[in-house]
Every structure is written in C-alpha cells, then in structure tokens.
Amino acid sequence: MGNSALKAHLETAQKTGVFQLTGKGLTEFPEDLQKLTSNLRTIDLSNNKIELLPPLIGKFSLLKSLVLNNNKLTALPEELCKLKKLETLHLNGNHLRQLPAAFGQLSALKTLSLSGNQLRTVPTQLSGLRHLDVVDLSKNQIQNVPDTVGELQAIELNLNQNQISQISVQISHCPRLKVLRLEENCLELSMLPQSILSDSQISLLAVEGNLFEIKNLRELEGYDKYMERFTATKKKFA
C-alpha cells in the first residue's frame, strides 16, 4: 500500500472520524494515525497481520469503537485501558491469552468480543465493567468459570466451544444476565448449577453439545421456573 493511498485514507478519516483499513497485509499499527488522536471515533484494522498494538493507542481519547479481528495480537498494552469512551472492542481471531490488569478501567465498554483467542479462564477484570452488555468468549480454551463471574454485569455471555467442565454457582447471581451460551463444552449435567434454572435472571440457556442429553435437563429441579422466564421473554419479542 503506497503512501499516497494511506494519505488519502488519513484525510478522509480526519473528516469522518472513521479510519478503516482492512485486509491490506499490515504488519503494524499505522504510525501516521497518531496525527488523528483527537479526531478518531472508530478504528477498524481487521484482517491484517498486526502483532503489536503500540502504547499510543491510549491517546485516542474520543475512540468509541476499536476493531482488530483476525490479526496476530498476542497481548494488549496497558495504555489501551485509558480509552474512557470506548464502547465496542472486537478482537476475534487473535492469539490473546489474557487481558491487561487495568482492563476494568474501560468504564464505557458495552460490547466485548474475544472469540477465537487462547484465553483459559473468564477474565476477572470483566467484573468491574458496569455497562457491559455482550461478552463473547466463544472458541477459547476456557476450562472453568470462576466465582468472580457473579459480579459480571453483562446481559449476554457467550462461552460456546470452550472446554468448560466447571461453572461457579455464582453465575446465577449475575444481576443482568439473560442469555447464557454454553454449547459444545465438556459439561456433565451434575456440573450445571441448578440455581441457573431455579434462581437466576437467565431466560435463554443454550447447552447443546455437552456431555448430557437435553431432555435430561428438563428433569432438573427449577426447570419449570426457567421455562416461565423463557416463555415470558419470547412473548415480549414476539
């Protein structure tokens, strides 16, 4: 990609607040973007070969949406956590094993997508995010869901296609959790906390493809209560 093409992209981005450069084989975050730290609201660099996100990412003070799907990121810089206006963060298809310690400071974050990475647990940092709506942790290497999940504020949590065999009973205390996706994991029926059915806000529980038959779920105590919530939600959207 020539300099003149990049220049044109930068000029457009200065006017629109959107910088999108996908599928161009970029191996690094374009340094010239630092001229636009006070303009950009959206950066999309998906489908490139970026391995590192530079510390200057923390200077984009107006950034609302950062999309870096299908790159080669192995870690995120702490500076990312300074983005106080960031609402959407898409990092699907990278090589991330963990999140920065200060990740809980991304106080405006609503949507977080980390599908297809190498996470081994549900990051505890997510519990501090008050406005989180949707968290996608599908296609990782998560084996258990820890107690801290009880403080998660998300409405939807997607844990499909992991290796989960244990879930903390605290998950039924999530104050806003309505949709819990656990398809294609390693759950025995006895490892599914019954309080998810009997005593939670969850109105859609997706558990196909685990180590039990769905019909056996119906025999669990609390299943009727879950079905009441499920039906009420369906009526609302019908």
Side-chain angles (χ1 to χ4, degrees):
M1 168 142 185
N3 271 349
S4 57
L6 183 59
K7 207 172 160 206
H9 270 278
L10 289 169
E11 281 171 11
T12 309
Q14 194 164 2
K15 296 183 192 118
T16 60
V18 177
F19 185 84
Q20 186 175 32
L21 199 55
T22 59
K24 297 287 186 220
L26 296 180
T27 52
E28 49 191 49
F29 188 87
E31 213 163 271
D32 287 343
L33 280 186
Q34 60 191 356
K35 299 169 188 162
L36 299 178
T37 49
S38 55
N39 300 66
L40 291 185
R41 290 181 179 79
T42 299
I43 295 176
D44 183 353
L45 295 167
S46 296
N47 304 311
N48 282 294
K49 296 172 182 172
I50 298 168
E51 294 181 22
L52 276 179
L53 204 50
L56 78 90
I57 192 69
K59 297 198 166 116
F60 292 88
S61 52
L62 296 179
L63 201 62
K64 282 192 163 184
S65 174
L66 178 59
V67 184
L68 289 158
N69 294 333
N70 305 317
N71 276 281
K72 298 192 169 190
L73 298 170
T74 53
L76 300 170
E78 288 289 337
E79 286 80 3
L80 176 72
C81 309
K82 293 179 179 164
L83 300 176
K84 293 288 176 239
K85 299 203 166 179
L86 194 67
E87 294 179 5
T88 305
L89 181 57
H90 287 289
L91 296 161
N92 300 329
N94 280 281
H95 308 295
L96 299 169
R97 291 172 184 272
Q98 58 196 43
L99 298 179
F103 198 82
Q105 292 172 13
L106 290 171
S107 48
L109 201 61
K110 290 181 181 173
T111 304
L112 174 63
S113 222
L114 286 160
S115 180
N117 279 280
Q118 294 169 19
L119 299 172
R120 292 183 176 274
T121 184
V122 176
T124 55
Q125 296 94 314
L126 303 187
S127 299
L129 297 168
R130 294 278 160 254
H131 298 288
L132 212 48
D133 288 336
V134 178
V135 182
D136 185 353
L137 300 174
S138 61
K139 300 181 186 172
N140 276 280
Q141 297 162 17
I142 297 169
Q143 294 177 3
N144 67 344
V145 180
D147 287 349
T148 46
V149 76
E151 293 160 42
L152 190 68
Q153 299 288 325
I155 296 167
E156 175 168 343
L157 177 59
N158 185 343
L159 292 165
N160 289 347
Q161 293 178 310
N162 277 283
Q163 298 156 19
I164 296 167
S165 60
Q166 281 185 309
I167 299 180
S168 166
V169 67
Q170 297 296 327
I171 199 160
S172 40
H173 296 162
C174 290
R176 299 167 69 214
L177 191 61
K178 299 273 194 287
V179 178
L180 178 57
R181 301 187 187 279
L182 287 163
E183 293 178 14
E184 294 178 52
N185 276 285
C186 309
L187 282 166
E188 303 269 0
L189 191 57
S190 59
M191 284 298 171
L192 191 71
Q194 292 200 6
S195 54
I196 290 176
L197 298 171
S198 60
D199 195 23
S200 77
Q201 303 287 319
I202 295 165
S203 55
L204 177 63
L205 176 65
V207 286
E208 286 79 4
N210 278 281
L211 307 179
F212 59 87
E213 289 187 41
I214 293 298
K215 64 173 196 280
N216 296 346
L217 183 69
R218 297 175 195 140
E219 288 154 22
L220 288 186
E221 202 174 322
Y223 187 79
D224 295 350
K225 274 190 170 172
Y226 161 68
M227 279 315 289
E228 280 171 25
R229 295 192 303 273
F230 177 82
T231 313
T233 305
K234 273 200 127 158
K235 276 193 188 132
K236 208 159 75 180
F237 293 113

